């Protein structure tokens, strides 16, 4: 059951959805040729909590737009600015863009940031902790903190391994987590040159081709390409707090295919996508310390159900609203973009 559901159709599908404000997102294509990069305003009706019937505006609006010469495989908004930073998945270099400004409706490229690897398999991950700094890298040995304006390298992650990264995020103002595709997790503090804390991948929990990681409120979740999900405390990543086998269609995945994310405004809920044409919501508080099969609390199948494509439709990206507890955006391989507010039937 939905409280709200609104749809939009892009000309080409996107792998990135990034909030630029509480009501606007950036999306961009990932084809090998020229791609649109757009800032979309969400339907006003979504935010009309009272008297929705009096709000006629149900459509997404293109606010700003531009073109990237290649694919956009990663995109991050720089907090407190009208800048976004992208990576094309072909090298570890980053592209810097200004969204609008000076009464312009154009998203224009205004700079670049050099990475540590000329050719990158899987592309760079990006985290933007401050308006003037970027953390980025394609592998654990490439991670660096760069001053956005000057290009000065402020910090590098010191490690001998070169594991491809699946995620890069800050868990506090200076402490970050680097999640590797093999399940390894590094935790490091950009204020010190001390060796990072390494938590090896959960090999004992069943070997798997790929792992994806997300952290929030002192918890870390690792999700494997076989659908195993492991929750740990950030202070003790070697110990599983809870463990589950998710109800997903296991298949051969690429690092950019799957997303797992904690809800920022809803306790103990995660969203999972990339295994099929659905986005699944799971409640981790009901999981135990022994592995068990679990069912989703909610499943958004709208992309697959409404698609006009003859090919199988897969969800390519999803993101929670930063403040609205049950509002998510999702995108799929047919170019569809949905914003939806789901209802927890167990609370009715």
């Amino acid at each position: 059951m939905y409280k709200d559901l609104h749809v939009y159709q892009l000309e080409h599908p996107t792998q990135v959805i990034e909030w630029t404000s509480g009501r606007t997102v950036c999306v961009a294509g990932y084809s090998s040729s020229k791609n649109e990069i757009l800032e979309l305003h969400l339907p006003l009706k979504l935010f009309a909590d009272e008297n929705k019937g009096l709000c006629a505006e149900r459509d997404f609006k293109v606010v700003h737009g531009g073109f990237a010469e290649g694919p956009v495989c990663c995109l991050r908004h720089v907090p407190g600015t009208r800048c976004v930073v992208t990576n094309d998945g072909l090298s570890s270099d980053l592209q810097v863009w200004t969204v609008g400004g000076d009464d312009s409706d154009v998203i224009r490229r205004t700079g670049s940031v050099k990475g540590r690897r000329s050719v990158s398999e899987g592309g760079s991950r990006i985290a933007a902790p401050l308006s003037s700094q970027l953390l980025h890298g394609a592998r654990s040995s490439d991670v660096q903190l760069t001053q956005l304006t000057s290009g000065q390298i402020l910090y590098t992650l010191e490690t001998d391994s070169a594991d491809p990264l699946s995620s890069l995020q800050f868990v506090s103002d200076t402490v970050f987590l680097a999640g590797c595709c093999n399940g390894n997790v590094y935790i490091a503090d950009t204020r010190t040159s001390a060796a990072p804390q390494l938590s090896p991948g959960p090999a004992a929990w069943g070997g798997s081709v790929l792992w994806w990681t997300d952290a929030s409120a002192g918890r870390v979740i690792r999700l494997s390409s076989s659908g195993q999900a492991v929750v740990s405390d950030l202070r003790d990543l070697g110990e599983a707090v809870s463990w589950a086998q998710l109800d997903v269609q296991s298949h051969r995945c690429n690092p950019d295919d799957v997303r797992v994310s904690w809800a920022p405004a809803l306790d103990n809920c995660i969203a999972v996508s990339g295994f099929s044409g659905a986005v699944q919501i799971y409640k981790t508080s009901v999981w135990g310390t022994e592995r068990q099969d679990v069912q989703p609390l909610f499943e958004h199948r709208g992309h697959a159900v409404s698609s006009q494509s003859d090919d199988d439709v897969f969800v390519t990206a999803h993101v929670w609203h930063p403040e609205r507890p049950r509002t998510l955006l999702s995108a799929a391989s047919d170019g569809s973009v949905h914003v939806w507010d789901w209802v927890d039937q167990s609370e009715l």
Side-chain angles (χ1 to χ4, degrees), residues 28-270:
Y30 58 90
S31 66
S32 58
S33 57
K34 203 170 187 178
N35 289 280
E36 275 191 309
I37 177 169
L38 303 173
E39 185 180 42
L40 303 177
H41 195 292
L42 272 58
L44 292 177
K45 192 158 190 170
L46 179 72
F47 302 98
D49 291 329
E50 296 181 9
N51 298 321
K52 282 185 179 287
L54 299 179
C55 181
E57 192 55 73
R58 294 181 51 87
D59 297 328
F60 287 76
K61 296 286 187 185
V62 176
V63 186
H64 299 98
F67 287 95
E69 291 301 322
V72 177
C73 298
C74 186
L75 184 153
R76 288 290 178 264
H77 174 239
V78 181
T81 73
R82 290 296 292 161
C83 288
V84 295
V85 181
T86 63
N87 176 258
D88 59 11
L90 306 175
S91 79
S92 59
D93 295 345
L94 310 182
Q95 299 78 46
V96 182
W97 307 78
T98 297
V99 181
D102 299 325
D103 297 323
S104 168
D105 59 1
V106 176
I107 298 176
R108 63 188 185 281
R109 183 170 168 178
T110 52
S112 61
V113 175
K114 194 72 176 171
R116 294 171 70 183
R117 186 179 290 268
S118 59
V119 178
S120 170
E121 186 177 336
S124 279
R125 310 302 169 189
I126 309 168
L130 301 168
S131 60
S132 59
Q133 297 176 1
L134 292 172
L135 186 73
H136 55 105
R139 294 175 177 266
S140 54
S141 56
D142 303 339
V143 175
Q144 66 185 50
L145 184 69
T146 304
Q147 186 77 28
L148 182 57
T149 49
S150 67
Q152 179 185 359
I153 298 174
L154 305 174
Y155 167 89
T156 57
L157 181 65
E158 297 300 330
T159 173
D160 294 330
S161 65
D163 302 326
L165 297 179
S166 59
S167 65
L168 198 57
Q169 66 183 116
F170 276 85
V171 294
S172 73
D173 289 344
T174 60
V175 176
F176 71 88
L177 181 150
C180 303
C181 294
N182 62 3
N184 288 352
V185 170
Y186 291 89
I187 298 177
D189 192 325
T190 58
R191 295 170 300 183
T192 174
S193 58
Q197 175 190 341
L198 168 63
S199 173
W205 301 325
S208 189
V209 177
L210 291 172
W211 290 84
W212 295 268
T213 306
D214 190 43
S216 177
R219 302 158 304 170
V220 175
I221 186 161
R222 283 180 266 197
L223 173 66
S224 79
S225 50
S226 61
Q228 292 181 73
V230 182
V231 177
S232 305
D233 190 297
L234 188 61
R235 296 164 297 185
D236 186 10
L237 290 174
E239 193 71 28
V241 174
S242 57
W243 188 17
Q245 174 64 49
L246 307 189
D247 183 26
V248 298
Q249 299 175 18
S250 180
H251 63 94
R252 186 173 179 83
C253 299
N254 294 315
D256 290 322
D257 289 348
V258 172
R259 304 282 192 280
V260 57
S261 59
W262 290 103
L266 195 62
D267 289 340
N268 301 310
C269 279
I270 60 166

Side-chain angles (χ1 to χ4, degrees), residues 263-323:
L266 195 62
D267 289 340
N268 301 310
C269 279
I270 60 166
V272 173
S273 68
F275 291 99
S276 66
V279 182
Q280 297 179 324
I281 311 295
Y282 288 90
K283 197 170 185 69
T284 62
S285 58
V286 300
W287 300 356
T289 53
E290 298 293 325
R291 187 170 70 169
Q292 58 183 317
D293 293 343
V294 295
Q295 295 296 315
L297 180 65
F298 185 87
E299 194 166 32
H300 175 61
R301 302 191 191 98
H303 294 285
V305 170
S306 60
S307 177
Q308 304 296 312
S309 173
D310 293 331
D311 300 322
D312 289 340
V313 172
F314 283 81
V315 173
T316 52
H318 78 259
V319 63
W320 293 88
H321 192 281
E323 297 165 359

